[in-house]
Amino acid sequence: MALNLLSPAEIKAISFLDSTKSNHHHLNKLPGAFTLKRKDCGTRRIHCSAQPPPAWPGRAVPETNRKSWDGPKPISIVGSTGSIGTQTLDIVAENPDKFRVVALAAGSNVTLLSDQVKTFKPQLVAVRNESLVDELKEALSDVEEKPEIIPGEQGVIEVARHPDAVTVVTGIVGCAGLKPTVAAIEAGKDIALANKETLIAGGPFVLPLAHKHKVKILPADSEHSAIFQCIQGLPEGALRRIILTASGGAFRDWPVDKLKEVKVADALKHPNWNMGKKITVDSATLFNKGLEVIEAHYLFGAEYDNIEIVIHPQSIIHSMVETQDSSILAQLGWPDMRLPILYTMSWPERIYCSEITWPRLDLCKLGSLTFKAPDNVKYPSMHLAYSAGRAGGTMTGVLSAANEKAVEMFIDEKISYLDIFKVVELTCDKHREELVKTPSLEEIIHYDLWARDYAASLQQSTRRTPVLT
């Protein structure tokens, strides 16, 4: 069955569900264009009780007498050889009096992992790729105090719930990070959250579990860290609105009509910085911000009507909150992931940082900060993300997984740029038939895999139009 490719004028009509009319397993298709309708929760508070309990209900107040360790704070890192893991270890290296590493888990980069083991001397090490265990042992043959090595997924789980760790940094990408995070929560470890799927896919399961075990989930990405920093000490019910800032990506200055001509190389030209291919494309489509809207909802309990996106080309304000009396609080800084990572590790304390390695923001040198509303026609991902968020349950994980697969297909030149939105919409639309509002961990993982398979089934024809196979 051939599917008509979206024209730029039709993008704004994308919609696959209306969560205000949903039941447990099914959502009705909207007859026309999607509109953001403000839902009345019967109160001006930011949170509605029908949702899973948020990690931070609009305020962040540290509990007294939570410290339960002597000397440097012991941490575990899941995903130590990735971007988050290596930056976390840079922080540890600069602050050996504040932090120490007790366990490390990596995927397959044995060379870097062995160097990390020699430098930070963890008690436990895991390598997800079991076939590389002998190579890791050989690389560590000259280490006097050898760590325990546990291979495979079980090893990653053991690192996450290491008995000595107080905080676990979760840097694994995708649903592979869900099981270790759940294991850490069940072991009572605070979570320095850098794995988006933990909440975007797993929120309905993970949040009640975190509350049960009295575990703190501390956001390590810059936007949610900014919100977290802005709500420090707010009184109950003070939060009115969350404002997420976005760079606008590669096409923020492109006219909509030109999007049908987009090539992969165009989407990978971020105007502000160099990143991996997937996140750069997500920045171009604004799917990264749509997913952050869902994560903000789960983290802070804000209704979707009270979470907004604004284009901020300079990427200096990392996000803002509005209080009930209309005051706006913002967190500013140079774009540097180490700051939010550091705050998840040190909270509620603030650690002094050298100007040599942590340049201080000079507003006079910067000159100006500008803002503009995102174009709903250019970025249909926003409607898709808000719709999935309102549906809740397994829909948000399906949205994320379908987008990941669609981006992969685009980068491999199997679909066009505009097809990314259509593939995600079709996958979410199909999932309406099996939506689960309160999923188990197994159901979350199952539908993540299903979404990837279904999105992949929307293949390229000779006219670059997806077809159902």
Side-chain angles (χ1 to χ4, degrees):
M1 180 181 74
L3 301 172
N4 293 326
L5 182 65
L6 295 176
S7 70
E10 292 170 330
I11 292 175
K12 61 185 177 183
I14 276 188
S15 109
F16 61 88
L17 49 88
D18 180 1
S19 63
T20 63
K21 299 179 180 179
S22 65
N23 57 31
H24 184 79
H25 292 290
H26 181 71
L27 293 169
N28 296 321
K29 177 102 171 180
L30 278 177
F34 175 75
T35 56
L36 293 176
K37 296 182 179 179
R38 187 167 294 278
K39 187 166 61 176
D40 183 8
C41 296
T43 174
R44 294 189 64 83
R45 293 281 176 90
I46 201 80
H47 175 61
C48 287
S49 60
Q51 300 291 341
W56 302 93
R59 61 200 298 258
V61 180
E63 298 175 4
T64 57
N65 302 321
R66 271 184 61 87
K67 186 170 180 177
S68 58
W69 68 91
D70 295 321
K73 186 177 186 178
I75 65 169
S76 289
I77 304 174
V78 177
S80 67
T81 58
S83 174
I84 296 297
T86 54
Q87 290 180 87
T88 301
L89 289 173
D90 287 343
I91 292 169
V92 174
E94 189 169 338
N95 298 278
D97 59 325
K98 303 291 185 182
F99 309 107
R100 65 183 176 92
V101 176
V102 297
L104 295 174
S108 58
N109 191 340
V110 170
T111 301
L112 180 54
L113 178 59
S114 62
D115 289 342
Q116 292 174 345
V117 170
K118 292 173 184 178
T119 300
F120 296 97
K121 300 176 174 56
Q123 302 164 28
L124 174 65
V125 176
V127 57
R128 179 178 286 276
N129 188 338
E130 298 186 34
S131 66
L132 297 175
V133 170
D134 289 340
E135 183 180 338
L136 177 61
K137 289 180 178 178
E138 176 63 26
L140 298 177
S141 60
D142 59 345
V143 174
E144 286 189 17
E145 296 183 15
K146 292 180 174 57
E148 180 183 4
I149 299 174
I150 303 178
E153 183 179 59
Q154 189 58 41
V156 180
I157 289 173
E158 294 304 326
V159 166
R161 64 186 182 196
H162 190 282
D164 291 347
V166 172
T167 296
V168 179
V169 180
T170 60
I172 290 183
V173 176
C175 270
L178 266 176
K179 286 185 178 179
T181 304
V182 167
I185 291 171
E186 290 176 337
K189 313 300 181 184
D190 286 343
I191 306 298
L193 184 67
N195 172 271
K196 288 184 178 297
E197 281 72 19
T198 296
L199 293 183
I200 292 169
F205 176 82
V206 167
L207 287 170
L209 190 69
H211 280 269
K212 175 183 176 182
H213 292 280
K214 296 179 171 55
V215 161
K216 300 299 185 187
I217 297 178
L218 302 151
D221 63 315
S222 60
E223 293 81 4
H224 299 104
S225 176
I227 297 163
F228 182 64
Q229 292 180 61
C230 289
I231 65 172
Q232 299 297 307
L234 287 185
E236 185 176 355
L239 182 61
R240 183 175 183 176
R241 180 172 54 129
I242 286 172
I243 305 167
L244 291 166
T245 54
S247 68
F251 307 125
R252 70 186 180 204
D253 299 320
W254 281 43
V256 172
D257 290 342
K258 195 178 176 184
L259 294 181
K260 61 181 179 291
E261 304 170 8
V262 165
K263 306 299 182 186
V264 174
D266 299 323
L268 296 179
K269 293 176 183 176
H270 195 283
N272 291 4
W273 48 74
N274 293 320
M275 305 181 291
K277 290 183 178 180
K278 198 270 182 181
I279 186 60
T280 305
V281 174
D282 279 351
S283 181
T285 62
L286 221 67
F287 260 115
N288 67 327
K289 211 55 51 176
L291 294 171
E292 286 171 12
V293 166
I294 295 167
E295 196 172 1
H297 166 76
Y298 282 131
L299 276 168
F300 308 110
E303 287 295 321
Y304 286 101
D305 289 338
N306 296 322
I307 306 174
E308 298 180 10
I309 298 171
V310 63
I311 303 296
H312 170 48
Q314 294 82 17
S315 299
I316 294 298
I317 294 181
H318 299 302
S319 278
M320 298 170 270
V321 302
E322 180 184 16
T323 58
Q324 293 291 356
D325 58 7
S326 77
S327 288
I328 301 289
L329 308 178
Q331 188 265 326
L332 289 72
W334 296 119
D336 188 336
M337 276 298 297
R338 293 176 303 164
L339 179 56
I341 294 170
L342 173 64
Y343 197 53
T344 65
M345 296 163 64
S346 67
W347 183 82
E349 297 178 6
R350 294 279 187 175
I351 291 177
Y352 173 81
C353 295
S354 164
E355 289 187 51
I356 298 173
T357 55
W358 302 73
R360 296 166 71 182
L361 183 64
D362 186 336
L363 289 174
C364 294
K365 193 176 192 178
L366 187 66
S368 63
L369 302 175
T370 60
F371 309 89
K372 65 178 180 179
D375 186 337
N376 289 327
V377 178
K378 184 182 290 186
Y379 303 114
S381 51
M382 294 190 297
H383 282 336
L384 291 171
Y386 277 93
S387 295
R390 289 190 169 97
T394 49
M395 188 63 80
T396 51
V398 164
L399 174 93
S400 178
N403 172 65
E404 188 169 329
K405 189 63 183 179
V407 170
E408 177 188 317
M409 293 162 67
F410 165 66
I411 291 172
D412 292 342
E413 298 186 344
K414 294 178 179 178
I415 63 173
S416 72
Y417 175 78
L418 292 178
D419 283 340
I420 294 173
F421 307 105
K422 192 65 174 178
V423 166
V424 174
E425 182 203 12
L426 289 167
T427 306
C428 291
D429 188 58
K430 182 67 175 177
H431 183 58
R432 291 185 299 120
E433 301 167 7
E434 298 183 25
L435 173 65
V436 181
K437 295 292 283 186
T438 54
S440 65
L441 181 61
E442 290 72 22
E443 287 171 318
I444 290 166
I445 294 172
H446 166 76
Y447 283 111
D448 175 270
L449 295 173
W450 171 86
R452 295 170 194 274
D453 289 342
Y454 188 83
S457 74
L458 303 172
Q459 296 294 325
Q460 175 192 27
S461 75
T462 56
R463 295 187 302 172
R464 292 180 64 81
T465 302
V467 296
L468 289 172
T469 56

